Amino acid sequence: MAVSMSHKQKAYQGILQKIRQYMDAQHLQPGDKLPSERELAYTLGAGRSSIREALRAMEFLGLIETRRGEGTFLSTYQSFQTVELLASFILQEKQTRLDLADVIIILEKEAAKLAFWNMTKQDIAHLQAIIYQEADSLKDMHAIFFQCIFKKSNNKLLAKIWSLMYDFLAVEQEISNHKFFYKDLIHMYETKDYQGIETLFEKMILK
Amino acid sequence: MAVSMSHKQKAYQGILQKIRQYMDAQHLQPGDKLPSERELAYTLGAGRSSIREALRAMEFLGLIETRRGEGTFLSTYQSFQTVELLASFILQEKQTRLDLADVIIILEKEAAKLAFWNMTKQDIAHLQAIIYQEADSLKDMHAIFFQCIFKKSNNKLLAKIWSLMYDFLAVEQEISNHKFFYKDLIHMYETKDYQGIETLFEKMILK
DNA sequence: TAGTTACTGGTGGTCAGACCACTGTTGGAT
DNA sequence: ATCCAACAGTGGTCTGACCACCAGTAACTA
């Protein structure tokens, strides 16, 4: 078998990686052309059908754009259409919601900890202001509050995952019960109580 | 051409629709089995490769699950495919790759902690076995090791995010430095040292 | 020369057939 | 009744073959 399959991983997943590497190595910009499917197949040592499955995945994500007779190109725009499509599939299974809630708490906790070391007095004051100026809803306030924290965490990926998950949270679903929570967190920043953050969030994990 | 192509629409898109219809007509429930690829190809009048491209898309969306030697099944865990989406086009950016490493560590840490309360002696023995039976690569070993832990964490969403992120890790990128790491973790399970897990992972976060 | 046409090579789109590796079952031997 | 080997079915992959389409280029015309 040409494509190295490390443990059940399908070929197209490996190919995705390789194509990504290729894009990186060649410094491809949006709009640039990718090698032809046949060439990719030869270069990466895979069958053309496997290459195509990988490309379909990328196309589905809006990463590339294929034009018959011309070739495959890096997409110039990030299509968000996919997001909406996916949103329509959101499931209502109970367990998933519980999982989701935990995941969000975990992300918020870690962001709060990462942000800990970058938190200035000004930032703290800002947080304070957020919880006092009444927002439309608790959920909005919560979102703004943590957007701020995620920003200070300096990890955009973490922030992105969070915002995505957060969008899925049913509106009715409670976020954090009381304002005490936010005040407590701010207080920990003020008093440099790193360990306290862990404890504060830990209580909220359901299981 | 067997598959009706209403101008420019690709075959697999039409096939997606047809499969949807089929699912509806047959009242398929999550977990039910789909016809085999060959049968679908015959029934829908398309080539098997086109069927596969459609199935790949559905799999990518988390709608189905394929099991080699068994068949294709409706996923019991639909939704949050969004994560995948996000992952891929977020990861195009540069800085995010550094963030990625941290995120993965965070996810693994939290999974390890969630799993803590469900860990039996048998499970621990299993983990032990994994690190001793030499795998193809360290990355593979690591993956198997944590797949086990994520399973015990009882949070499928967390696991899904992790596996996705993990796929994006460049092969060369080191995971965890030494085998000591795994042994340490196992030891903490044995000695019921919950706090130790936090500390163990904390050291690995870059910033 | 300038403009049109026809040709040609390359590309994605699709299909058919062939293996392989894996799974669950079945039927016979014990 | 139990066990195990052979088997049929399935997804995973590769190959080779067409087709439809596009972009140049060469040839032809005016």
Side-chain angles (χ1 to χ4, degrees), chain A residues 53-69:
Chain A
E53 289 193 12
L55 291 180
R56 270 317 62 65
M58 295 181 68
E59 186 182 64
F60 212 79
L61 291 175
L63 292 177
I64 60 173
E65 192 180 320
T66 59
R67 295 201 280 273
R68 170 187 247 171

Side-chain angles (χ1 to χ4, degrees), chain B residues 182-194:
Chain B
Y182 306 99
K183 289 184 181 173
D184 284 353
L185 181 56
I186 291 177
H187 187 253
M188 287 165 188
Y189 282 135
E190 286 171 335
T191 58
K192 308 288 183 199
D193 178 13
Y194 184 78

Side-chain angles (χ1 to χ4, degrees), chain A residues 10 59 89 91 194 202, chain B residues 10 20 59 79 194 202:
Chain A
K10 291 174 195 166
E59 186 182 64
F89 284 120
L91 83 165
Y194 184 79
E202 200 87 344
Chain B
K10 292 175 195 169
R20 260 255 178 267
E59 186 181 63
S79 102
Y194 184 78
E202 201 87 344

